[in-house]
Amino acid sequence: MKISLSSDEVAFRDELRAFYRTQIPEEIRERVKYGREVSREDVVTTHKLLNDNGLAVPNWPVEWGGKDWTPMQRHIWQDEMQLASVPEPLTFNAQMVGPVIAQFGSQEIKERFLPPTAALDIWWCQGFSEPDAGSDLASLRTTAVRDGDSYIVNGQKIWTTLAQHADWIFCLVRTDPGAPKKQAGISFLLFDVKSPGVTIRPIKLIDGGHEVNEVFFENVRVPADQLVGAENQGWTYAKFLLGNERTGITGVGRSKVKLAVAKEYASKTRSGSGTLLTDPVFAARIAELENELLALELTQLRVVSQTEEGKPNPASSVLKLRGSELQQEVTELLLDVAGPDGLPVGATDIASPEWAQRSGPAYLNYRKTTIYGGSSEVQRTIIASTILGL
């Protein structure tokens, strides 16, 4: 593995670094860095700035706005974005439905949906999980029955992230209930969430926020020309999508930023005759986390350098597994820095600092990282079977 960047890669990195830090509004980056609320408008503003400069969808085919970059350049693009605390391009658009449409959609569907998807003129949400089909996604029961030039969709989706902001949904539906295998008979359908019969209900999370939703479909009529690819081949497209999703979850850059913020607050927190940052036990804990992040970063570089273009690397499961665990450990560290000040949540009449009050909800929210995109148990099974051959 090549540890150092080439001169061309250094120049590429420095160009991106300068753009992220000068062209993306500082107030938005500050909100990301310190874990403050990032609004829909913040995401749209940043995504459109990136897209206008050819930096929103570099993993797409060049003809649809992508870049003819090497895997290392794509890694640098994302890592520097995270280190600069830039909101990443909306993942539902850039990493999920866009690549699926580009790979499997008809020319008509590509022309209709890819430009507004890249520009975030359509905000997509993901209709995959159901009450009895989460980790076992192939057990989904939402149906789509062909009726002339339309499909009639009935069923329910759950944990639909940011559906309250969405314009459209890409949805896995069962089009052949009699298929011999549950993975068969599933199709990939696109439709407007404002269609008659679609109901979106918020789910209040343990951190008090509204991030996910229930989505209900009651006799929703969807034009048949909004089917992606072939009928009953949706499981193939879903696996392709999930492979793209997992490679971006590692989050080394994000974890580095959160660790730096924790050190910043620890340096201002009194402990004995000094600060928490000078406490030997706490300092050792930080050093261990820094070493773990370095090891993960080197592993990520090794995976990037060995990845063949267009082929998923099974080692991405290692990155997802350890990356999500370290994200949790960093938020736990910040909660420990806050101490008792992290207990009051949403209070306005106490002296507890705002950042400390955010640390509790952030810690609770990050329990999700070892579940979404394929739980840790699923990743260990993939590692055992695909990498270790057990």
Side-chain angles (χ1 to χ4, degrees):
M1 180 189 73
K2 183 181 66 173
I3 298 292
S4 60
L5 300 178
S6 68
S7 58
D8 288 342
E9 288 167 346
V10 169
F12 178 78
R13 180 201 65 191
D14 291 347
E15 183 179 352
L16 285 174
R17 187 173 289 179
F19 176 84
Y20 292 147
R21 286 166 170 76
T22 60
Q23 301 304 309
I24 304 301
E26 184 177 2
E27 62 271 18
I28 295 178
R29 295 191 294 110
E30 285 288 297
R31 284 195 280 275
V32 173
K33 179 179 179 179
Y34 290 103
R36 303 187 187 109
E37 183 178 357
V38 177
S39 69
R40 186 186 197 276
E41 290 69 31
D42 289 341
V43 174
V44 172
T45 296
T46 303
H47 187 117
K48 286 187 173 295
L49 279 170
L50 293 170
N51 188 61
D52 290 345
N53 288 272
L55 296 173
V57 291
N59 57 312
W60 289 19
V62 173
E63 63 180 306
W64 298 110
K67 294 287 190 180
D68 188 19
W69 284 350
T70 65
M72 181 59 73
Q73 286 176 308
R74 289 176 184 163
H75 166 73
I76 293 170
W77 163 80
Q78 185 172 50
D79 192 50
E80 288 298 327
M81 192 184 305
Q82 293 179 0
L83 290 171
S85 298
V86 174
E88 295 177 48
L90 187 67
T91 188
F92 311 111
N93 289 41
Q95 301 293 337
M96 295 184 177
V97 72
V100 169
I101 292 174
Q103 181 74 17
F104 303 106
S106 65
Q107 185 66 20
E108 181 183 356
I109 278 197
K110 290 176 184 178
E111 292 174 356
R112 179 180 175 187
F113 288 108
L114 286 180
T117 296
L120 197 51
D121 292 331
I122 296 176
W123 181 303
W124 291 92
C125 63
Q126 179 184 25
F128 277 24
S129 294
E130 298 185 6
D132 295 315
S135 296
D136 184 17
L137 182 59
S139 295
L140 66 89
R141 294 185 294 185
T142 294
T143 60
V145 178
R146 187 66 182 258
D147 181 35
D149 293 334
S150 302
Y151 287 98
I152 307 299
V153 179
N154 283 280
Q156 177 189 357
K157 299 293 178 177
I158 200 167
W159 314 123
T160 309
T161 304
L162 301 183
Q164 72 270 26
H165 298 326
D167 303 303
W168 282 62
I169 187 170
F170 53 96
C171 201
L172 288 183
V173 294
R174 191 164 295 283
T175 42
D176 183 5
K181 293 178 60 178
K182 62 183 182 180
Q183 288 83 0
I186 293 174
S187 296
F188 197 102
L189 207 55
L190 314 174
F191 54 98
D192 192 327
V193 296
K194 299 176 184 63
S195 302
V198 178
T199 302
I200 299 174
R201 295 180 186 169
I203 299 174
K204 189 173 182 179
L205 297 180
I206 193 172
D207 67 350
H210 172 202
E211 184 179 1
V212 295
N213 303 267
E214 295 178 285
V215 184
F216 298 88
F217 311 120
E218 185 177 358
N219 295 323
V220 180
R221 185 169 289 274
V222 178
D225 62 5
Q226 290 168 199
L227 175 76
V228 175
E231 190 174 83
N232 300 326
Q233 295 299 310
W235 186 250
T236 298
Y237 313 150
K239 289 192 295 182
F240 176 86
L241 181 151
L242 291 170
N244 284 334
E245 179 186 10
R246 285 170 188 159
T247 57
I249 293 176
T250 311
V252 173
R254 286 193 297 270
S255 293
K256 283 184 177 181
V257 171
K258 290 185 183 298
L259 183 56
V261 169
K263 291 169 70 175
E264 176 186 334
Y265 289 134
S267 69
K268 302 173 183 177
T269 303
R270 302 301 303 175
S271 177
S273 59
T275 68
L276 193 55
L277 192 59
T278 60
D279 178 87
V281 175
F282 190 83
R285 184 176 170 191
I286 287 178
E288 182 177 359
L289 265 173
E290 289 176 332
N291 285 332
E292 290 281 358
L293 278 171
L294 177 59
L296 181 62
E297 183 175 25
L298 293 174
T299 302
Q300 186 174 32
L301 287 172
R302 187 168 67 247
V303 170
V304 168
S305 65
Q306 294 175 351
T307 295
E308 295 182 39
E309 196 66 35
K311 294 184 179 180
N313 191 321
S316 63
S317 288
V318 177
L319 300 178
K320 196 280 174 184
L321 174 66
R322 193 65 187 126
S324 58
E325 291 173 345
L326 288 177
Q327 289 175 52
Q328 291 181 344
E329 289 182 33
V330 172
T331 57
E332 184 176 355
L333 179 75
L334 188 56
L335 180 62
D336 288 345
V337 173
D341 283 344
L343 291 176
V345 176
T348 57
D349 56 348
I350 59 174
S352 176
E354 182 188 355
W355 72 264
Q357 293 184 41
R358 290 195 303 269
S359 66
Y363 166 82
L364 294 171
N365 185 276
Y366 267 72
R367 300 309 94 191
K368 69 189 179 187
T369 62
T370 48
I371 299 173
Y372 67 59
S375 69
S376 293
E377 292 78 8
V378 168
Q379 303 310 319
R380 290 189 180 97
T381 299
I382 294 172
I383 293 167
S385 61
T386 306
I387 300 177
L388 301 179
L390 299 178

